[in-house]
Amino acid sequence: MTVLQMTFPGMAGGPQVRAIAWRDLIRSFYARLEPRGLWPRAGETALSVSGSRADEPGLARPIVWAKRAVLLVDVVESVRLVEQDEAGAIARWLAFVEHVKTRILPEWKGRAVKSLGDGLLLDFDDVRSAAAAAFAIQQASNRVNSGLPPERQMLLRMGLEISDVVVEADDVHGRGVNLAARLMSLAGPSEIVVSAHACDELTADLDAQIEDLGECYVRHVSEPVRAYRIGPPGPRPMLRGTPADELAPYIAVVPFAARRTTEEHDITGEVLAEEIIRGISHSPELNVISRLSTTAFRGRVVSLSEISTHLNADYVLSGIYSVDGDNLILDAELAEAKSGRVVWTDRLSERLSAILRRDSELVGQIIAETSAAVMRRELQRAQSQPLPSLKAYSLLL
C-alpha cells in the first residue's frame, strides 16, 4: 500500500497533513466499483482535506479528535486475482465487504470508514472490539476460501493501532492511520499485526494469542516500532490455587464491580476478592482459582459459561458493591458455572476501612456461607447421580 503525505499550508488553523491510501488497480476494476461509490472515477484522486476545503480556502471546518482503534484490511495480491478472474474476484470482494458491514461490524460496534478498492478502513471504540472483529473477518474469509483452489483464494492481512485521530463522517486522519498501514505491511497472508499500544489493551490467551515480533523498522518511520502478531484465543491455561483433592469443586472469585465507578474506590472490589480467595485457599473442601486468572475478567461483561470455559470453574462468586462514606454494601451471588443456577445470594455490609485493613468480618462470613452453599449443592448432586468410584463414595460418607 502506497502512502502519500500532502501539506496544505493555506488552510485555517495551520498546515494539515493527510495520508492518502490508494492502489493502482486496472481501469476495469475502477469501473466496476464506481457505480457503488466505492472508488473514485478513473483519472481522479481520492483526496479530501481536513480543515478548509481545497476549493473554498476561507471556509473552515471543525476538527474533531477522538481516541479510536483503527483497523486496516488489505487483500493480498489483489491485482493478480483480478487479472486471473476479474468478474469473479470483484464479485467475491464486494459480497465480502457487504458481509463485513452488515454482519460483523454491528456485532462489535465498528464503523466502515471507507473502502479502499481492495481494502477496508475500519474504526472501533476500543482495541478488544477491533481485535474480535478482525478475528471474525478472518474466519469469514476462511469460510469463503474453503471451497476455492489455492490460486483463487482471497487472503487478507490486517494492521491495528489505537491513537487519537481526526474523525470525519467518511474518513479518519492522523499518525494512527499511517501506523496501522505500516503494521499491516508487516503482516503475511491471513495475519494480524498490532502495535504495542494496542497489545497493552489485550489480555494474552483471553482476548488473543500474542506473539512478540520485536522492534521492526517500517517505511517513513524513523524509530523502530514494537509489533505483535495476534491470533484468535485458544485453550486457556488454568492457574490453580492451593492443591486439594481432585474431587473437590473449583470456585472462581471474580473481582466485584462498583455500581458507580470512582477512582478512589476503583480497586475495592479487587481487594475484597483477593481476601476471599486467600481465605478459601485454606479450605480442605474447595479448590480456588488463582487471582492471576480471575483478575482478567475485571470489568468485562461475560457469561458464566465463558468463565467456566476459560477457567474450568465449577462455581463463580461475583457481586456488585457501592460505597457511602465508610460504609460498603455488597450484593454477592454464587452461581453454578455450567447451569447458571444461583446457589447462594445475600446483601452484606461492612466498614470500608476494615476491608482495606484486612480486618473484616465480612470476608469470613462470605467464605463460610459460600462454602456451605457449595457443599449442599455437591451433596445434592452426589445423591442424585451415580458416583464414579469407590473413593468418591467414601468421601461422600
Side-chain angles (χ1 to χ4, degrees), residues 123-258:
D123 74 347
F124 300 82
D125 292 335
D126 59 86
V127 172
R128 289 175 184 167
S129 298
F135 298 145
I137 291 171
Q138 287 287 27
Q139 291 166 1
S141 174
N142 293 339
R143 289 194 297 269
V144 172
N145 289 330
S146 61
L148 297 173
E151 66 274 9
R152 295 186 60 203
Q153 292 182 3
M154 194 171 287
L155 303 178
L156 306 178
R157 58 177 182 168
M158 305 186 208
L160 172 60
E161 162 68 331
I162 183 166
S163 71
D164 291 328
V165 295
V166 175
V167 178
E168 293 188 303
D170 58 353
D171 214 341
V172 289
H173 317 288
R175 294 180 179 176
V177 182
N178 294 344
L179 184 54
R182 298 306 179 209
L183 293 166
M184 184 182 68
S185 69
L186 298 174
S190 301
E191 291 183 353
I192 305 165
V193 175
V194 307
S195 68
H197 290 141
C199 186
D200 287 343
E201 299 192 21
L202 298 173
T203 301
D205 300 318
L206 185 60
D207 295 315
Q209 297 287 347
I210 300 173
E211 179 186 355
D212 189 351
L213 300 179
E215 301 288 342
C216 301
Y217 287 88
V218 295
R219 292 176 58 194
H220 304 307
V221 178
S222 57
E223 298 295 326
V225 175
R226 192 61 174 262
Y228 298 81
R229 183 164 44 224
I230 64 172
R236 279 72 175 180
M238 291 181 297
L239 298 178
R240 301 296 194 184
T242 303
D245 190 274
E246 62 182 7
L247 293 175
Y250 279 88
I251 181 171
V253 184
V254 178
F256 300 105

Side-chain angles (χ1 to χ4, degrees), residues 82 204 269 299 369 394:
V82 172
E369 294 192 19
S394 300

Side-chain angles (χ1 to χ4, degrees), residues 310-384:
H310 292 306
L311 301 177
N312 201 30
D314 301 299
Y315 296 88
V316 177
L317 177 63
S318 61
I320 300 177
Y321 68 92
S322 58
V323 177
D324 183 10
D326 191 41
N327 187 45
L328 179 141
I329 299 176
L330 173 68
D331 290 312
E333 177 183 285
L334 179 69
E336 203 171 36
K338 291 183 179 179
S339 68
R341 175 180 176 179
V342 176
V343 297
W344 172 82
T345 183
D346 199 358
R347 169 169 285 191
L348 310 126
S349 63
E350 177 63 286
R351 288 180 297 111
L352 179 61
S353 56
I355 295 173
L356 298 179
R357 288 198 313 268
R358 291 178 165 84
D359 183 28
S360 171
E361 295 180 0
L362 175 65
V363 172
Q365 181 182 352
I366 292 175
I367 293 172
E369 294 192 19
T370 55
S371 298
V374 170
M375 290 302 103
R376 287 194 301 269
R377 177 58 183 152
E378 290 298 302
L379 183 60
Q380 293 173 358
R381 190 199 314 279
Q383 290 174 336
S384 62

Side-chain angles (χ1 to χ4, degrees), residues 43-56:
E44 294 184 349
T45 304
L47 175 62
S48 61
V49 180
S50 236
S52 301
R53 286 172 49 187
D55 58 342
E56 298 182 39

Side-chain angles (χ1 to χ4, degrees), residues 6-320:
M6 305 186 69
T7 304
F8 297 86
M11 293 187 298
Q16 298 293 325
V17 179
R18 179 66 224 281
I20 308 300
W22 60 278
R23 276 193 180 274
D24 185 18
L25 297 181
I26 58 177
R27 288 181 177 271
S28 58
F29 199 179
Y30 288 169
R32 298 268 183 170
L33 295 177
E34 178 190 332
R36 297 173 179 262
L38 297 174
W39 198 264
R41 291 187 300 273
E44 294 184 349
T45 304
L47 175 62
S48 61
V49 180
S50 236
S52 301
R53 286 172 49 187
D55 58 342
E56 298 182 39
L59 180 61
R61 294 192 302 179
I63 297 177
V64 179
W65 290 85
K67 188 174 184 179
R68 306 291 294 171
V70 178
L71 179 67
L72 271 168
V73 184
D74 181 52
V75 178
V76 178
E77 296 186 336
S78 58
V79 175
R80 177 184 62 81
L81 292 171
V82 172
E83 288 286 354
Q84 285 181 345
D85 179 13
E86 179 184 351
I90 294 173
R92 289 199 309 275
W93 172 243
L94 293 178
F96 186 78
V97 169
E98 186 66 18
H99 175 80
V100 170
K101 289 180 177 179
T102 59
R103 302 294 296 276
I104 296 177
L105 293 182
E107 181 177 358
W108 299 106
K109 297 179 180 171
R111 178 174 73 115
V113 179
K114 62 180 179 179
S115 173
L116 305 172
D118 60 346
L120 288 170
L121 175 58
L122 314 174
D123 74 347
F124 300 82
D125 292 335
D126 59 86
V127 172
R128 289 175 184 167
S129 298
F135 298 145
I137 291 171
Q138 287 287 27
Q139 291 166 1
S141 174
N142 293 339
R143 289 194 297 269
V144 172
N145 289 330
S146 61
L148 297 173
E151 66 274 9
R152 295 186 60 203
Q153 292 182 3
M154 194 171 287
L155 303 178
L156 306 178
R157 58 177 182 168
M158 305 186 208
L160 172 60
E161 162 68 331
I162 183 166
S163 71
D164 291 328
V165 295
V166 175
V167 178
E168 293 188 303
D170 58 353
D171 214 341
V172 289
H173 317 288
R175 294 180 179 176
V177 182
N178 294 344
L179 184 54
R182 298 306 179 209
L183 293 166
M184 184 182 68
S185 69
L186 298 174
S190 301
E191 291 183 353
I192 305 165
V193 175
V194 307
S195 68
H197 290 141
C199 186
D200 287 343
E201 299 192 21
L202 298 173
T203 301
D205 300 318
L206 185 60
D207 295 315
Q209 297 287 347
I210 300 173
E211 179 186 355
D212 189 351
L213 300 179
E215 301 288 342
C216 301
Y217 287 88
V218 295
R219 292 176 58 194
H220 304 307
V221 178
S222 57
E223 298 295 326
V225 175
R226 192 61 174 262
Y228 298 81
R229 183 164 44 224
I230 64 172
R236 279 72 175 180
M238 291 181 297
L239 298 178
R240 301 296 194 184
T242 303
D245 190 274
E246 62 182 7
L247 293 175
Y250 279 88
I251 181 171
V253 184
V254 178
F256 300 105
R259 290 188 187 276
R260 294 183 300 275
T261 303
T262 62
E263 185 176 350
E264 182 180 2
H265 304 302
D266 190 42
I267 65 168
T268 302
E270 286 192 59
V271 173
L272 185 55
E274 183 177 343
E275 289 303 299
I276 294 172
I277 290 172
R278 191 194 310 274
I280 295 178
S281 69
H282 298 296
S283 170
E285 300 168 334
L286 294 173
N287 286 330
V288 64
I289 306 295
S290 167
R291 68 176 182 82
L292 298 176
S293 292
T294 57
T295 300
F297 290 91
R298 179 178 180 266
R300 295 174 181 267
V301 180
V302 294
S303 66
L304 290 173
S305 61
E306 288 180 277
I307 296 177
S308 176
T309 300
H310 292 306
L311 301 177
N312 201 30
D314 301 299
Y315 296 88
V316 177
L317 177 63
S318 61
I320 300 177

